[in-house]
């Protein structure tokens, strides 16, 4: 796929931006701990909840507004806004300032990410190429989860964490330059008679009418449960429970990335053999197993020992998350048309992140009082989501497609295609 010049530039833009975002994750966790101490999980949970509000509330509105605008201008402008916010974060001294800046930054991300993802099927129209591109994209996310914390840990030995925000700004700047240098495909526009208010709910309507996307929706719930405990409470486990240094937070997050990375390498052949739905369902089961393990580990390590068990649990959660997230965009591509693709991807972006509006507060606010209660609650959500996913998968009758069916049987239902 990298022989395709447009995809190569877009993929490079993604990688550079991801490295910057990885540095931001570590720096923001340390900033929250500096401001709030052992209550850092509450601050970070609130910040991430605000991020989800921006994703859920802003993404559909902006997607409907900019759907007819040139994608290159939309992507570059979003990167410039993110760059400006990253340069402001080193001067933060209060929790409320984190909340405001996170909202603006993530509103820009809510503009960038769905538009970026919806371009790739047009750049790589062949199903097998697109599946491999999804795997490569997941590898980029996983390598970011692994390398960015490692880079951050090395940098923290010589600089303060505030300087990591400069790396974030550099990542967004590099992304903007590469996007501007790309020759993006011409996108088919929406029919002229569709108004803003007609475009706004269009993606959600496709979700409601397509059985495979209903399965995707409940799978999102399971992913949200596993991801929340990692992103919100890793800093509390590393610094508050195990009393380790800042570098330990980077290592803890890296283990989550390692687990996801191990799976992402193998996603193309797994999907070829098992199909998209079955691969994702197995991922939901793995996440649920990881959450049950997280409950056991949280109780067993209350005395501050057993960090290695936590690292192993985070790796399991990373593996399950990759099994669900990596092939999921295949369902979106198959259930959309060139005319509505950006809106369908935006609907997935908003609906999947709406799940975090539940799991992030649970991880942060309940976790501030008791990590055990937070872990148990998230495990129950993961179990319920996995049961619902099994029902949705059976309803879609796609649990066991043959390799040929994995590329053809997941096409949109007539009413979705008509949209």
């Amino acid at each position: 796929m990298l022989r395709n010049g447009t995809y190569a530039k877009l993929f490079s833009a993604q990688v550079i931006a991801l490295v910057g975002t990885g540095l931001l994750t570590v720096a923001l966790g340390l900033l929250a701990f500096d401001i709030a101490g052992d209550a850092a999980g509450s601050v970070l949970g609130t910040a991430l909840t605000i991020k989800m509000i921006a994703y859920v509330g802003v993404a559909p509105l902006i997607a409907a507004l900019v759907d007819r605008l040139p994608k290159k201008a939309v992507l570059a402008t979003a990167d410039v806004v993110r760059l400006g916010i990253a340069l402001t974060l080193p001067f933060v001294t209060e929790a409320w300032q984190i909340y405001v800046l996170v909202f603006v930054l993530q509103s820009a991300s809510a503009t960038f990410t769905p538009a970026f993802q919806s371009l790739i099927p047009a750049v790589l129209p062949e199903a097998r190429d697109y599946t491999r591109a999804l795997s490569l994209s997941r590898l980029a996310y996983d390598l970011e989860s692994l390398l960015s914390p490692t880079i951050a840990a090395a940098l923290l030995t010589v600089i303060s964490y505030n300087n990591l925000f400069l790396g974030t700004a550099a990542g967004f700047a590099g992304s903007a330059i590469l996007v501007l240098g790309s020759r993006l495909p011409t996108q088919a526009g929406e029919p002229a008679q569709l108004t803003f208010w007609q475009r706004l709910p269009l993606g959600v309507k496709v979700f409601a009418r397509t059985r495979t996307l209903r399965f995707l929706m409940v799978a999102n719930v399971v992913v949200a449960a596993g991801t929340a405990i990692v992103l919100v409470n890793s800093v509390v486990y590393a610094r508050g429970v195990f009393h380790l240094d800042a570098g330990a937070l980077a290592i803890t997050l890296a283990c989550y990335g390692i687990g996801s990375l191990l799976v992402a390498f193998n996603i193309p052949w797994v999907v070829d053999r098992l199909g998209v739905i079955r691969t994702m369902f197995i991922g939901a089961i793995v996440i649920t197993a990881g959450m049950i393990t997280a409950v056991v580990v949280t109780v067993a390590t209350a005395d501050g020992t057993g960090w290695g068990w936590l690292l192993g649990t985070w790796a399991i959660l990373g593996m399950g998350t990759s099994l669900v997230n990596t092939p999921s965009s295949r369902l979106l591509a198959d259930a959309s048309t060139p005319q509505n693709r950006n809106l369908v991807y935006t609907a997935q972006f908003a609906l999947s992140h709406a799940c975090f509006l539940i799991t992030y507060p649970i991880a942060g606010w309940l976790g501030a009082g008791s990590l055990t209660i937070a872990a148990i609650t998230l495990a129950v959500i993961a179990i319920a989501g996995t049961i619902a996913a099994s029902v949705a998968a059976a309803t879609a009758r796609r649990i066991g497609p043959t390799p040929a069916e994995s590329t053809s049987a997941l096409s949109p239902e007539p009413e979705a295609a008509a949209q």
Side-chain angles (χ1 to χ4, degrees):
M1 290 81 66
L2 294 176
R3 292 172 182 163
N4 182 311
T6 298
Y7 177 73
K9 288 181 180 179
L10 291 175
F11 178 71
S12 298
Q14 179 190 29
V15 169
I16 293 173
L18 283 174
V19 172
T21 302
L23 297 179
L24 174 67
T25 300
V26 176
L28 198 59
L30 296 173
L31 175 62
F33 193 83
D34 263 4
I35 291 175
D38 288 340
S42 179
V43 172
L44 202 54
T46 302
L48 292 174
T49 301
I50 291 172
K51 169 183 174 179
M52 294 305 106
I53 292 172
Y55 282 3
V56 174
V58 174
L61 292 172
I62 293 184
L65 285 170
V66 306
D67 194 49
R68 297 174 181 173
L69 298 180
K71 290 294 187 291
K72 182 179 292 188
V74 171
L75 296 174
T77 300
D79 269 334
V80 170
V81 172
R82 297 193 292 181
L83 185 157
I85 297 301
L87 292 176
T88 306
L89 282 167
F91 304 101
V92 166
T93 57
E94 302 290 339
W96 70 265
Q97 296 169 344
I98 293 179
Y99 304 151
V100 172
L101 293 177
V102 163
F103 179 80
V104 177
L105 187 149
Q106 300 304 338
S107 294
S109 293
T111 304
F112 182 94
T113 303
F116 180 91
Q117 292 174 338
S118 67
L119 280 173
I120 307 304
V123 175
L124 299 170
E126 293 296 326
R128 290 177 66 87
D129 288 342
Y130 183 48
T131 300
R132 280 150 182 75
L134 293 176
S135 182
L136 191 60
S137 178
R138 187 67 208 181
L139 286 173
Y141 277 102
D142 296 336
L143 286 172
E144 175 270 313
S145 298
L146 176 61
L147 295 179
S148 292
T150 303
I151 294 171
L155 291 174
L156 287 170
T157 64
V158 294
I159 63 174
S160 68
Y161 70 83
N162 275 329
N163 290 310
L164 296 180
F165 292 121
L166 300 179
T168 299
F172 292 141
S175 174
I177 292 170
L178 286 167
V179 166
L180 290 172
S182 302
R183 181 176 296 177
L184 302 183
T186 301
Q187 297 292 298
E190 290 292 338
Q193 67 269 22
L194 287 183
T195 66
F196 165 80
W197 296 109
Q198 290 172 322
R199 294 195 304 274
L200 184 60
L202 188 56
V204 175
K205 287 182 178 179
V206 175
F207 260 78
R209 295 175 178 180
T210 309
R211 291 171 296 177
T212 54
L213 297 189
R214 293 197 291 269
F215 163 80
L216 174 58
M217 188 62 250
V218 292
N220 289 334
V221 175
V222 183
V223 170
T227 303
I229 194 171
V230 173
L231 295 187
V232 174
N233 287 328
S234 286
V235 65
V236 181
Y237 280 106
R239 302 296 302 273
V241 175
F242 298 107
H243 307 292
L244 302 171
D245 59 20
L249 171 60
I251 295 172
T252 302
L253 293 172
C255 285
Y256 180 75
I258 289 172
S260 185
L261 183 66
L262 292 174
V263 168
F265 273 116
N266 299 294
I267 283 293
W269 73 263
V270 171
V271 170
D272 284 344
R273 287 159 177 77
L274 299 180
V276 177
I277 297 290
R278 177 169 285 181
T279 300
M280 293 174 62
F281 184 65
I282 291 172
I285 294 174
V286 172
I287 292 173
T288 300
M291 285 306 305
I292 294 172
T293 304
V295 173
V296 175
V297 169
T298 301
V299 174
T301 61
D303 59 354
T305 60
W307 182 43
W309 291 106
L310 181 74
L311 300 184
T313 302
W314 265 215
I316 292 172
L317 291 173
M319 293 171 67
T321 300
S322 185
L323 283 167
V324 175
N325 282 346
T326 304
S328 64
S329 289
R330 275 280 298 275
L331 302 183
L332 299 173
D334 289 335
S336 62
T337 66
Q339 289 76 24
N340 67 16
R341 185 157 290 145
N342 184 44
L343 298 176
V344 172
Y345 275 74
T346 300
Q348 159 64 2
F349 187 82
L351 292 172
S352 63
H353 288 94
C355 302
F356 291 101
L357 286 174
I358 299 172
T359 60
Y360 277 158
I362 289 173
W365 301 338
L366 286 185
S370 170
L371 286 175
T372 301
I373 293 176
I376 291 173
T377 304
L378 292 171
V380 170
I381 291 174
I383 292 169
T386 300
I387 294 172
S390 68
V391 174
T395 301
R397 297 191 300 274
R398 297 295 192 271
I399 276 289
T402 65
E405 288 174 330
S406 69
T407 60
S408 62
L410 297 176
S411 57
E413 295 183 1
E415 52 272 58
Q419 291 290 341

